[in-house]
């Protein structure tokens, strides 16, 4: 699965701005959580496979 961040009409990406403003340790932690989301099978596939 690919995580796609919301982009405003003016081109701003709020999540990127948020991540850029975190200190290094918290940014790495947040990016690690996003990486986990990218590896998770989409919910609709999980429901169909039950």
């Amino acid at each position: 699965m690919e995580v796609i961040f919301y982009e405003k009409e003016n081109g701003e990406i709020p999540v990127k701005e948020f991540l850029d403003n975190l200190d290094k340790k918290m940014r790495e932690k947040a990016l690690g959580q996003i990486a986990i989301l990218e590896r998770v099978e989409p919910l609709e596939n999980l429901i169909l496979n039950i």
Side-chain angles (χ1 to χ4, degrees):
M1 177 168 85
E2 178 182 3
V3 175
I4 301 171
F5 297 126
Y6 169 75
E7 184 175 343
K8 293 181 177 181
E9 288 183 15
N10 64 4
E12 291 178 8
I13 303 171
V15 172
K16 183 181 180 319
E17 293 173 16
F18 171 77
L19 292 171
D20 288 345
N21 287 313
L22 293 175
D23 63 53
K24 183 180 177 182
K25 183 177 180 180
M26 289 305 296
R27 183 173 39 251
E28 289 173 359
K29 198 174 217 180
L31 291 173
Q33 295 299 311
I34 292 169
I36 290 170
L37 289 174
E38 291 179 323
R39 292 192 302 263
V40 172
E41 191 170 349
L43 182 58
E44 61 271 12
N45 290 347
L46 294 174
I47 293 170
L48 294 174
N49 290 331
I50 293 178

